[in-house]
Amino acid sequence: MNEMTPVQSVGVAKPLVDGPEKTTGKAMFAADFQAAETLVGRILRSPVAHANITAMDTSKAEALPGVHAVVTEADCSDTYGVLPIAMNEWALARGRVRYRGEPVAAVAAVDVATAQRALDLIEVTYEELPAYFSAEEARAEGAVLLHDDKPGNIERDAEFDLGDVDKDMAEADLVREIEVKCSEVCQVQMEPHATFAEYDGARERLTIRPSTQVPFYVHKMLARTMGMAEGHIRVIKPHIGGGFGSRTETLQSDLIAGLLARKARATVKVVLSREETFITHRGRPESHITMKVGMKSDGTITAVDFTVQQRGGAYSGYGIVTILYAGSMIYGLYNISSARFQGLRVLTNTPPCGAFRGHGTVKTRFAFEGLIDDMARELGLDPFAVRRANLLAAPTMTENDLLVNSYGLDQCLDWVEKASDWQARKGKLPANKGMGMACSHYISGASKPKHWTGEPHATIHLRVDWDASITLLTGAAEIGQGSSTVMAQCVAETLGVDMSRINVVSSDSALTPKDNGSYSSRVTYMVGNASIDAAQNLKARLIEAAARKLEIATDDVECLGEVYRGGQQDQGLTFDEVVMEALAGEGTITVKGTFDTIPESWGGRKYRGAAIGGTMAFSYAAQVVEVTVDPYTAEITVDKVWVAHDCGKALNPLAVEGQVQGSVWMGMGQAMSEETGFHEGLPLAANMLDYRVPTIIESPPIEVGIIEAADPHGPFGAKEAGEGSLSGFLPALTNAVADAMGVRACELPLTPDRLLELLEKKARDGGANSDRGAA
Amino acid sequence: MKTVLSLTVNGVAHDDVIPDNMLLVDYLREKTGLTGTKIGCDGGECGACTVLIDDRPRHACLTLAATCQDSRIETVDGLSRDSRLTALQRGFNEKLGAQCGFCTPGMIMASEALLRRNPDPSEADIRDALAANICRCTGYVKIIEAVQFAAQELASGELAS
């Protein structure tokens, strides 16, 4: 027995615990559920972008044989929205529509054809209003207000002015400005939105399976919209086909499914088309950024002065948070003291934007990393040297009171510089090839939750019964990111047992403890810590039982995971025997674990909204992108990406690699091809072909370096891994194009037509503003 | 109009009366109850519905079921035998070629068709064979590794799929 050691589960590449279901087709997504007499739910959407609804007649639809329910705003008890201070949406439009495609009414019928016919029979009279499709139009003098309580069509103006920007800018050796425009992008998760709702008319209870990242928020909003007691609703999260922020707030389709099921007193399935999923949107807003940076001749940044304007769409959604992130996250990556920010979130007659992966930070990072790359070139400094001249020293607090407790950016820089052979190859590539680099960071969950109830940030239950298996009950939403696997790893590692002992039950409001959901990269950090806490509590119970059985003191029990013993000479007890002893006289064991953030991480009070950005830990990333540009077609090929990500501790190195590769690649789509686009409010690219999601053909090899600058409070030192690498790709790409072709791209996506325009302008200008010309 | 459709799905013979305009993907999901095949788009955009029709990969969302008379249809639901995962399924599982898992059925079926006609594919062959399948999670890197893993396992005679 001497050689026995606890089983190691953390730091080991582990396949996902729900991988077999996914590879055999057994995983059940919302649209896969089917019960006898399931009704088809369909939504009638506004054909106009902005109008008052002056009349609606649903009587013909209701009279159509096969129609079981028609719902409108009259069936809704209240508004909904993700931020308690900005709930201004109705599941079905009340009195006014504010974007083309906004849900107006919905039907439940025996089949698709009947449901469609019923929608055609609903008569709605619209009195059209002027519609605004750009932030400028919506802000113009005299524009009609989308919401009466939002003067100027401004959702939120945000600002801060920290340090002494004017003085520090004046002390710089070089001051330069950049203006960037980035198109709106959409998450386009593979699974279109779907909800399966069952209503038990005898008991007046709703059971619902929504495709969501936030079952708890959906639960709250269902109760609010339907006027039902929260305890009469059961929310069960099925398998989820990706999220990336598109389902980080309650969607109308979730609420409509509940409303239809109740009215029909039946089971209703609402499955949106891909076009409707695009229209539901909640993506990243079109943004216009101006930025001025001051730099010393050695690369030290003295001050940043910037403005961000976002076209937010028709409703509040996450808007206030998005615009605040766009400002606050200028801090936390580099040692910047003086910064001034002015942000405007504008309401427009386009689908509402939301919290896309890298929430709020991406476009600001694009502007900043492009600008300092140009300034480095002008000062004759290597891009790596400029970044290294501005490193932070953890632990520290930033000027806007963000806690930086661990910091691996220096190691990230070292890794990508070496892996890409930057110093030997940069500047020496053949014509039309180039290399660019950039850095980025992201939070590991917001330290102040949106719904501040005083509860811990995360709660985990562990249950052990007679079969000596461990059931891990978590409200955290597994959406494909591997959260259930990470939690099982944390529990197995703490107990020293094999992961096969652990069954994870994720997100069923009747069984699992409340959790705020999967967003802002909070789960590994917060729920991981709660998992460790629960496992420690369970271990203490098992050690007590072992001590009792072995007739020794608890301090003398040696826990080897599968064996508990009194010393090397003791044969000890198996895990199963210990469990039997623990159950004796007590029955099934349930223990709890929790996690709370520390007050130092809550963000500051120096300006309105300063809590946004406050987090327990930042991840850090650096990447190098190598490109080839066709000088005639301006088509860019990404040849290779090297990316290093500081995740504190790679609990599951396989999953970390997968998350980082996915982030970089998603940044690539946004940088090179993806944009929604509207004509008079009509989506121009509401399908995956016109929207131009990259295929496997144009997707590059992505080599990942895992950096582990352990966080003092992280679970085994871990921090987030699923978002921080995204934003760096955009500037690394345009920096590589600048290296290859000598042009600075300020508009994204950098499609061939946009790049060709830049190349032609450069040729007309006689190659000015270029350090290395095209072929 | 209706048709009596006779075909096999994962080796099981079916005779069903179906509407002429029924898509193969709806036939599979609704008539046979095999929901492994996914619908990710409004027609021919994403490849999540890829199934094999007489060994050839096809978009079930662009195929009328009535045109599959006497065909041999294979879906992801029928791949594993005796509960043992195939080499491709193990590859997608162990190499993390599946994250959310929604594109996975289509990816696996397109890869299955590739390995049947080309047991030793180059990376370019794999990219070519999966060009009509979109994944939004992985950046495709680990999907390529998953298919390579399966090809190697099959070459070493581990388990024919």
Side-chain angles (χ1 to χ4, degrees):
Chain A
M1 301 294 290
N2 292 356
E3 72 286 357
M4 173 154 275
T5 52
V7 181
Q8 192 189 345
S9 297
V10 153
V12 182
K14 292 280 185 188
L16 302 183
V17 293
D18 53 1
E21 292 95 304
K22 290 171 180 171
T23 55
T24 54
K26 291 191 175 71
M28 294 285 282
F29 297 82
D32 298 335
F33 287 87
Q34 188 71 23
E37 300 183 337
T38 300
L39 301 174
V40 174
R42 281 285 188 279
I43 299 169
L44 180 70
R45 294 173 180 276
S46 169
V48 294
H50 200 186
N52 287 318
I53 298 174
T54 54
M56 189 175 338
D57 184 354
T58 59
S59 56
K60 286 179 192 156
E62 283 159 16
L64 186 70
V67 171
H68 287 244
V70 179
V71 292
T72 67
E73 50 83 18
D75 297 279
C76 303
S77 296
D78 211 334
T79 57
Y80 79 99
V82 70
L83 303 180
I85 56 168
M87 294 193 192
N88 63 356
E89 276 187 84
W90 291 89
L92 293 155
R94 175 168 289 193
R96 172 114 68 119
V97 288
R98 295 178 174 86
Y99 63 95
R100 205 160 167 161
E102 182 169 354
V104 170
V107 303
V110 290
D111 56 30
V112 174
T114 309
Q116 192 55 51
R117 214 155 45 239
L119 293 185
D120 294 342
L121 291 172
I122 297 173
E123 291 165 9
V124 187
T125 311
Y126 297 99
E127 178 188 272
E128 282 204 62
L129 296 164
Y132 311 112
F133 306 113
S134 71
E136 287 73 19
E137 290 170 321
R139 285 177 60 196
E141 188 77 31
V144 173
L145 296 186
L146 270 76
H147 300 272
D148 293 340
D149 60 343
K150 304 281 183 185
N153 286 322
I154 302 300
E155 170 68 33
R156 179 70 173 261
D157 58 338
E159 57 180 30
F160 60 72
D161 190 350
L162 302 173
D164 192 335
V165 171
D166 294 327
K167 174 176 154 288
D168 290 344
M169 201 67 85
E171 285 175 5
D173 295 318
L174 182 69
V175 175
R176 288 289 177 261
E177 294 179 49
I178 195 169
E179 181 178 0
V180 308
K181 289 179 180 169
C182 303
S183 292
E184 181 185 277
V185 287
C186 192
Q187 289 90 349
V188 197
Q189 76 292 339
M190 282 301 295
E191 180 200 18
H193 299 305
T195 307
F196 184 78
E198 299 165 277
Y199 197 79
D200 176 349
R203 295 181 181 80
E204 302 288 351
R205 298 286 193 281
L206 174 70
T207 300
I208 193 162
R209 291 173 166 85
S211 59
T212 186
Q213 305 173 235
V214 286
F216 166 65
Y217 293 155
V218 172
H219 197 151
K220 284 187 79 73
M221 291 304 115
L222 277 166
R224 184 177 156 103
T225 288
M226 298 178 70
M228 279 179 76
E230 289 167 348
H232 291 181
I233 298 171
R234 179 179 183 185
V235 178
I236 307 172
K237 183 199 67 65
H239 274 276
I240 302 296
F244 317 111
S246 68
R247 301 153 165 184
T248 289
E249 54 190 299
T250 307
L251 304 175
Q252 299 106 331
S253 45
D254 303 328
L255 303 172
I256 289 168
L259 290 165
L260 283 173
R262 177 174 63 180
K263 196 153 193 182
R265 308 185 83 71
T267 299
V268 177
K269 185 155 72 175
V270 174
V271 180
L272 300 194
S273 67
R274 176 57 63 181
E275 183 183 17
E276 288 179 292
T277 301
F278 267 103
I279 290 169
T280 304
H281 193 51
R282 317 286 157 167
R284 203 181 319 283
E286 178 183 279
S287 301
H288 180 190
I289 299 176
T290 65
M291 183 178 281
K292 183 158 85 171
V293 166
M295 196 180 271
K296 291 280 197 187
S297 56
D298 67 354
T300 311
I301 295 158
T302 62
V304 185
D305 194 353
F306 66 120
T307 68
V308 177
Q309 177 179 275
Q310 296 173 343
R311 183 186 69 181
Y315 292 95
S316 297
Y318 267 101
I320 294 167
V321 174
T322 315
I323 193 68
L324 286 165
Y325 268 128
S328 69
M329 292 288 278
I330 196 74
Y331 288 104
L333 180 60
Y334 300 116
N335 184 16
I336 290 171
S337 50
S338 294
R340 181 159 52 212
F341 166 67
Q342 285 183 297
L344 268 188
R345 177 81 172 194
V346 185
L347 292 151
T348 52
N349 294 110
T350 50
C353 294
F356 195 148
R357 196 178 200 174
H359 193 187
T361 67
V362 175
K363 292 163 177 181
T364 300
R365 188 53 48 201
F366 168 63
F368 183 87
E369 295 282 316
L371 178 55
I372 65 169
D373 220 66
D374 280 350
M375 294 174 76
R377 189 173 290 116
E378 204 169 335
L379 289 169
L381 297 170
D382 183 81
F384 276 83
V386 167
R387 271 77 180 186
R388 287 186 176 120
N390 294 286
L391 295 177
L392 285 165
T396 185
M397 298 292 285
T398 65
E399 193 70 21
N400 61 338
D401 296 326
L402 305 183
L403 172 70
V404 178
N405 236 346
S406 57
Y407 187 78
L409 185 61
D410 47 345
Q411 297 173 61
C412 291
L413 286 165
D414 293 348
W415 192 92
V416 290
E417 184 182 43
K418 189 159 180 284
S420 66
D421 203 9
W422 175 275
Q423 295 304 339
R425 299 173 64 234
K426 171 73 161 61
K428 302 181 185 72
L429 298 175
N432 306 317
K433 282 183 176 289
M435 291 170 89
M437 60 84 59
C439 300
S440 50
H441 69 325
Y442 202 68
I443 60 172
S444 305
S447 271
K448 274 209 161 174
K450 289 183 286 289
H451 292 266
W452 185 257
T453 59
E455 295 164 87
H457 280 66
T459 302
I460 287 284
H461 287 176
L462 292 177
R463 201 189 66 201
V464 184
D465 216 331
W466 59 273
D467 58 359
S469 70
I470 300 165
T471 303
L472 191 166
L473 295 146
T474 174
E478 167 65 64
I479 60 169
Q481 85 282 41
S483 61
S484 290
T485 307
V486 161
M487 281 174 251
Q489 286 180 277
C490 286
V491 169
E493 176 79 14
T494 305
L495 291 168
V497 298
D498 193 85
M499 270 176 72
S500 63
R501 282 201 183 272
I502 297 164
N503 302 308
V504 182
V505 176
S506 161
S507 307
D508 176 343
S509 65
L511 303 173
T512 57
K514 173 203 149 181
D515 191 85
N516 281 335
S518 290
Y519 61 91
S520 75
S521 279
R522 60 177 287 282
V523 172
T524 292
Y525 200 98
M526 297 186 182
V527 188
N529 269 321
S531 301
I532 293 170
D533 186 43
Q536 283 167 343
N537 292 335
L538 175 59
K539 192 171 169 179
R541 296 277 289 274
L542 296 176
I543 285 175
E544 275 174 34
R548 199 161 60 232
K549 184 84 176 171
L550 294 169
E551 298 181 339
I552 57 176
T554 52
D555 287 349
D556 294 335
V557 175
E558 186 185 7
C559 171
L560 298 172
E562 293 292 332
V563 170
Y564 287 64
R565 65 184 185 185
Q568 288 195 6
Q569 302 310 313
D570 180 10
Q571 191 186 334
L573 303 169
T574 64
F575 185 82
D576 295 49
E577 288 168 335
V578 177
V579 168
M580 282 302 119
E581 175 65 23
L583 295 178
E586 197 163 348
T588 307
I589 299 171
T590 303
V591 298
K592 189 170 78 173
T594 60
F595 175 74
D596 262 316
T597 57
I598 57 173
E600 300 91 290
S601 72
W602 291 353
R605 295 166 181 269
K606 285 184 180 165
Y607 56 92
R608 195 168 64 121
I612 300 299
T615 184
M616 288 292 290
F618 288 101
S619 73
Y620 292 94
Q623 59 195 293
V624 170
V625 172
E626 185 172 327
V627 299
T628 304
V629 180
D630 183 320
Y632 303 106
T633 65
E635 191 181 5
I636 304 167
T637 303
V638 178
D639 299 315
K640 178 89 193 253
V641 181
W642 297 265
V643 55
H645 186 105
D646 165 26
C647 63
K649 165 77 182 174
L651 301 178
N652 186 347
L654 184 67
V656 169
E657 275 186 20
Q659 284 296 312
V660 172
Q661 286 165 342
S663 295
V664 165
W665 176 87
M666 202 161 256
M668 185 184 87
Q670 181 175 352
M672 296 177 62
S673 59
E674 296 179 24
E675 59 182 308
T676 55
F678 297 92
H679 175 72
E680 301 291 305
L682 186 71
L684 291 173
N687 63 74
M688 293 157 102
L689 300 178
D690 290 327
Y691 179 75
R692 301 201 67 74
V693 173
T695 73
I696 198 169
I697 297 293
E698 61 265 25
S699 296
I702 302 167
E703 194 177 324
V704 179
I706 293 175
I707 303 299
E708 297 182 319
D711 189 77
H713 298 283
F716 303 104
K719 312 188 281 191
E720 83 87 32
E723 303 195 61
S725 299
L726 191 155
S727 64
F729 184 91
L730 287 66
L733 175 92
T734 52
N735 290 345
V737 170
D739 183 47
M741 312 304 284
V743 293
R744 167 58 53 192
C746 296
E747 281 189 44
L748 294 183
L750 188 53
T751 50
D753 55 325
R754 285 197 178 100
L755 180 54
L756 199 58
E757 210 169 285
L758 291 174
L759 296 177
E760 284 173 350
K761 180 172 186 306
K762 184 187 144 200
R764 281 198 306 275
D765 296 350
N769 192 25
S770 150
D771 60 351
R772 224 157 58 79
Chain B
M1 292 291 286
K2 300 207 169 190
T3 298
V4 178
L5 177 66
S6 299
L7 41 52
T8 67
V9 180
N10 300 329
V12 178
H14 289 260
D15 296 290
D16 285 304
V17 178
I18 60 154
D20 284 345
N21 64 355
M22 184 174 229
L23 294 168
L24 177 60
V25 69
D26 292 330
Y27 170 77
L28 291 170
R29 289 175 55 85
E30 291 166 17
K31 276 275 181 186
T32 72
L34 296 171
T35 55
T37 305
K38 302 301 176 204
I39 301 172
C41 68
D42 300 343
E45 304 162 27
C46 77
C49 67
T50 304
V51 298
L52 303 191
I53 303 177
D54 297 329
D55 295 311
R56 291 193 305 272
R58 290 289 179 264
H59 285 150
C61 75
L62 295 181
T63 305
L64 287 170
T67 66
C68 298
Q69 201 65 256
D70 301 322
S71 298
R72 187 163 43 84
I73 311 290
E74 291 170 84
T75 74
V76 72
D77 314 79
L79 277 186
S80 60
R81 294 270 173 256
D82 307 323
S83 299
R84 176 108 198 256
L85 300 187
T86 66
L88 267 169
Q89 289 170 323
R90 285 201 303 283
F92 274 79
N93 188 34
E94 288 170 29
K95 295 291 172 187
L96 201 63
Q99 283 188 29
C100 82
F102 201 82
C103 76
T104 308
M107 285 285 180
I108 286 181
M109 296 316 288
S111 304
E112 176 74 21
L114 167 69
L115 294 185
R116 283 187 194 177
R117 67 175 184 268
N118 178 5
D120 184 24
S122 66
E123 186 182 323
D125 293 335
I126 296 170
R127 287 178 182 271
D128 202 45
L130 300 180
N133 292 71
I134 289 175
C135 167
R136 199 61 173 156
C137 295
T138 62
Y140 305 105
V141 183
K142 294 195 183 302
I143 286 176
I144 293 170
E145 290 171 11
V147 179
Q148 288 169 336
F149 170 96
Q152 282 160 16
E153 278 222 343
L154 291 170
S156 67
E158 264 279 307
L159 181 79
S161 57

